[in-house]
Amino acid sequence: MLFFTQCFGAVLDLIHLRFQHYKAKRVFSAAGQLVCVVNPTHSLKYAPTRCAAAQASTEQGILPPCHHHEAVHDPQLVPCMCPLFSCPWEGHLEVVVSHLRQTHRINILQGAEIVFLATDMHLPAPTDWIIMHSCLGHQFLLVLRKQEKYEGHPQFFATMMLIGTPTQANNFTYRLELNRNQRRLKWEATPRSILECVDSVISDGDCLVLNTSLAQLFSDNGSLAIGIAITTSKVHSSEAEM
Amino acid sequence: MLFFTQCFGAVLDLIHLRFQHYKAKRVFSAAGQLVCVVNPTHSLKYAPTRCAAAQASTEQGILPPCHHHEAVHDPQLVPCMCPLFSCPWEGHLEVVVSHLRQTHRINILQGAEIVFLATDMHLPAPTDWIIMHSCLGHQFLLVLRKQEKYEGHPQFFATMMLIGTPTQANNFTYRLELNRNQRRLKWEATPRSILECVDSVISDGDCLVLNTSLAQLFSDNGSLAIGIAITTSKVHSSEAEM
C-alpha cells in the first residue's frame, strides 16, 4: 500500500514538474513582475471589406454585420477580430475571449502590470505578436505589429484594444513602457474597442510607433520587453497641468 | 521739476510696457510653467566633412580640430555647432552659449521644467526649432527637426544636447513629454554633448521620433507643445525594476 502511495506521489510530482516546465517556457517572473514571452506569428491580412464594414458599424454605434459572410444570422454577432487570421468565426462579444484562447491559442495573463517580451524582432514584416491581458474585470488584447508603411522601412506599432464596447474602453488608460540602455519611452492612451479595426489604428499611427533603429536600442538579444499597465482613466485629468 | 519727473516716469513705463510686450510675444506662463514660443527656421545643412570631423574627434575624446577651416589655430577651439547655419565661427566651449545667443539669436530659458511650443509644424522639411535651456548650472540645446528620412514622408525628431563635454553630459537625464487628446508620450535619455553631431543623433534615430500623424494628434492649431525637464541621472537606477 505504501509502495502505491509513493508511486502515486511520484506521478503527481512528475505532472507538477511537467506543468512548471511548460509554464516556465512561456512565463517567468523577473524582479517581481510577470513576464510573458510572446512568439511571433506571420500576419495574414484581413479582407479590406471586412475591416471597412466593422469600422463603419462601430462608428454608427452598432455591432459589425459581417458583410464578408454570405448570410448574416444575427446583427449582434461579432466577427473574429483576431488580427492574425482570416477567421470565418463570428459570435457574441462575451465569447470572443474563449474563441481567441481556444482557436488561436492566444495566452491570457492576469495582473495589473505585466511585461510583454516579444521574441525574434528581426523577422521580416508583416509579423504580429499578440497576447490577452486580464485586468480590472476586463480583458484586453495587446498587438505588436512589424509592418512596412514605407517600402523597405519596417516599423513597429504597439496598441491595446479592450474586448468590449467603445464606451467601456473610454473608462481605461493603458501604458506601454520601454526601458533599456539609459533610455525610456512611454506611451499612454485610451484603449480602442476590439470592435474597431486594429489595422486602421495602426495605419492612423495612433499608437506607440518605433523605427527599426529605436527598436534595436530597446531590444536585448533580439527580444523587446514592453511593460504594460492598465488603470482607470483618471490619469488624463492631469492633462491640463502641462 | 514735477513735470520732468512725471515725464521721466511715463517714459520708463512705456519702456517697461514695450519690454513686457516683447517678452509676451515669445514667452508666456501657462498653469505655472514657463512656456516658450519657438518659431521655425529653415534648416541649412552642414558640410558632411565638418560633421564627420567633429564626430571622429569626439569619439577619440579630443575636441574637434575643425578640418573644414583652411587654417587650424588651436586644437582647443570648437566650431559653431548650431545646426541652423553653416557658420564659420569657432571658439572655446565656454563661449559657445554667448555665440549662439548673439549671432544666431537663440533664446535661453531658465527653469527646471519648461514647455517648448514649436509653431508652424506644417512647414515643409527640412525645418528646425531650437532653444537653449539653462538648468542645474549647465546650458542645454533643444533641437526639434522636421526631416524626410524616407522621401515624401517627413518625420519630427527631438533631442537635447549639453553645451559641455560627453563626460559632463553623462551626469544628466532629460525628459521630453507630449500630452494632448488623452494621449501621452514621454522620452527619457542621457543628453548628448554638443561636441557630437546633432545630424548623426537624428540619423541614428536615437531621439524622440514622431510620424506626421502622431505629431498632428499632439499639436494644437499647428503648434506642438513639448514639456522639458532635466534631472541628474539617478533616474535610470530604476531601470532594473522593469
Side-chain angles (χ1 to χ4, degrees):
Chain A
M1 185 63 191
L2 185 64
F3 174 71
F4 284 108
T5 311
Q6 280 181 337
C7 277
F8 186 62
V11 169
L12 276 180
D13 282 348
L14 276 172
I15 291 169
H16 179 71
L17 279 172
R18 178 75 191 150
F19 179 64
Q20 288 296 93
H21 172 71
Y22 173 70
K23 265 180 75 183
K25 269 169 68 185
R26 62 179 188 91
V27 178
F28 59 90
S29 181
Q33 271 188 309
L34 190 68
V35 179
C36 177
V37 181
V38 186
N39 296 316
T41 313
H42 206 66
S43 186
L44 298 170
K45 303 300 291 175
Y46 271 144
T49 48
R50 173 178 184 156
C51 194
Q55 186 71 20
S57 308
T58 309
E59 281 165 7
Q60 289 160 26
I62 54 167
L63 292 174
C66 311
H67 287 310
H68 63 294
H69 292 143
E70 285 179 13
V72 179
H73 307 294
D74 183 347
Q76 293 295 307
L77 294 179
V78 185
C80 171
M81 285 294 173
C82 176
L84 286 175
F85 306 95
S86 296
C87 169
W89 181 89
E90 58 180 18
H92 287 272
L93 201 53
E94 296 75 24
V95 287
V96 168
V97 173
S98 60
H99 167 72
L100 291 174
R101 288 188 77 169
Q102 288 160 18
T103 311
H104 302 301
R105 307 267 174 213
I106 297 178
N107 285 325
I108 189 160
L109 288 173
Q110 306 276 340
E113 295 197 13
I114 61 169
V115 176
F116 175 101
L117 189 70
T119 63
D120 304 310
M121 300 293 288
H122 63 279
L123 287 181
T127 301
D128 279 342
W129 291 258
I130 295 183
I131 201 160
M132 278 189 290
H133 182 191
S134 179
C135 182
L136 300 170
H138 285 78
Q139 278 77 39
F140 299 83
L141 190 71
L142 180 84
V143 181
L144 171 68
R145 177 170 293 175
K146 187 176 186 178
Q147 189 174 309
E148 286 188 12
K149 258 181 133 175
Y150 316 127
E151 213 182 310
H153 301 286
Q155 289 178 297
F156 293 89
F157 303 86
T159 190
M160 204 139 206
M161 321 277 290
L162 175 76
I163 302 176
T165 64
T167 313
Q168 288 174 319
N170 281 337
N171 296 325
F172 299 98
T173 297
Y174 73 96
R175 191 185 73 212
L176 305 179
E177 184 172 339
L178 304 169
N179 193 354
R180 201 171 170 266
N181 277 332
Q182 293 189 309
R183 287 158 186 88
R184 187 178 292 189
L185 185 62
K186 276 189 199 179
W187 165 260
E188 274 180 31
T190 303
R192 299 288 191 94
S193 159
I194 201 171
L195 300 177
E196 298 178 68
C197 190
V198 71
D199 290 353
S200 64
V201 173
I202 287 171
S203 63
D204 291 350
D206 188 10
C207 54
L208 178 65
V209 186
L210 289 176
N211 286 335
T212 317
S213 53
L214 212 50
Q216 277 173 347
L217 275 168
F218 281 113
S219 65
D220 179 21
N221 207 14
S223 295
L224 185 73
I226 305 178
I228 305 169
I230 297 173
T231 53
T232 49
S233 56
K234 285 171 191 165
V235 172
H236 289 303
S237 61
S238 62
E239 189 163 333
E241 288 168 16
M242 214 184 94
Chain B
M1 184 63 192
L2 186 66
F3 175 72
F4 283 108
T5 312
Q6 280 181 338
C7 277
F8 186 62
V11 168
L12 274 181
D13 281 348
L14 276 171
I15 292 168
H16 180 72
L17 280 171
R18 177 74 192 149
F19 179 64
Q20 288 296 90
H21 172 72
Y22 172 69
K23 263 181 78 183
K25 269 169 67 186
R26 61 181 190 87
V27 178
F28 59 91
S29 180
Q33 271 189 313
L34 190 68
V35 180
C36 178
V37 180
V38 186
N39 297 315
T41 313
H42 207 68
S43 186
L44 297 170
K45 304 300 291 176
Y46 271 142
T49 48
R50 173 178 185 158
C51 193
Q55 186 70 21
S57 309
T58 309
E59 281 164 9
Q60 290 160 26
I62 54 168
L63 293 174
C66 311
H67 287 311
H68 62 293
H69 292 143
E70 285 180 10
V72 179
H73 307 294
D74 184 347
Q76 292 295 306
L77 294 180
V78 185
C80 171
M81 285 293 173
C82 176
L84 288 174
F85 306 95
S86 295
C87 168
W89 181 89
E90 60 180 19
H92 288 272
L93 200 54
E94 296 75 22
V95 287
V96 169
V97 173
S98 61
H99 168 73
L100 292 175
R101 288 188 76 171
Q102 288 160 17
T103 310
H104 302 301
R105 306 271 174 208
I106 297 178
N107 285 324
I108 188 160
L109 289 173
Q110 306 276 339
E113 295 196 14
I114 61 168
V115 176
F116 175 100
L117 188 70
T119 63
D120 305 310
M121 299 293 289
H122 63 279
L123 286 180
T127 301
D128 280 342
W129 290 258
I130 296 182
I131 202 162
M132 279 189 289
H133 182 190
S134 178
C135 182
L136 300 170
H138 285 78
Q139 278 78 37
F140 299 83
L141 191 71
L142 180 84
V143 181
L144 171 68
R145 177 170 294 176
K146 187 176 186 177
Q147 189 174 310
E148 286 188 15
K149 256 180 137 178
Y150 316 128
E151 213 181 311
H153 301 287
Q155 289 177 297
F156 293 88
F157 303 86
T159 189
M160 204 138 203
M161 321 277 290
L162 175 77
I163 302 175
T165 64
T167 313
Q168 288 174 318
N170 282 337
N171 296 325
F172 298 98
T173 297
Y174 73 97
R175 190 185 74 211
L176 305 179
E177 182 170 340
L178 304 169
N179 193 355
R180 204 173 167 265
N181 278 329
Q182 295 188 308
R183 288 158 183 86
R184 188 177 291 187
L185 186 63
K186 275 189 201 179
W187 165 260
E188 274 180 32
T190 303
R192 299 289 191 94
S193 158
I194 201 170
L195 301 176
E196 298 178 67
C197 190
V198 71
D199 289 353
S200 64
V201 173
I202 286 171
S203 64
D204 291 350
D206 188 10
C207 53
L208 178 65
V209 186
L210 288 177
N211 285 336
T212 317
S213 54
L214 211 52
Q216 275 172 348
L217 275 168
F218 281 112
S219 66
D220 179 21
N221 207 14
S223 295
L224 185 74
I226 306 178
I228 306 168
I230 297 172
T231 52
T232 49
S233 56
K234 285 170 192 167
V235 172
H236 290 303
S237 62
S238 61
E239 190 163 334
E241 287 168 18
M242 215 185 95

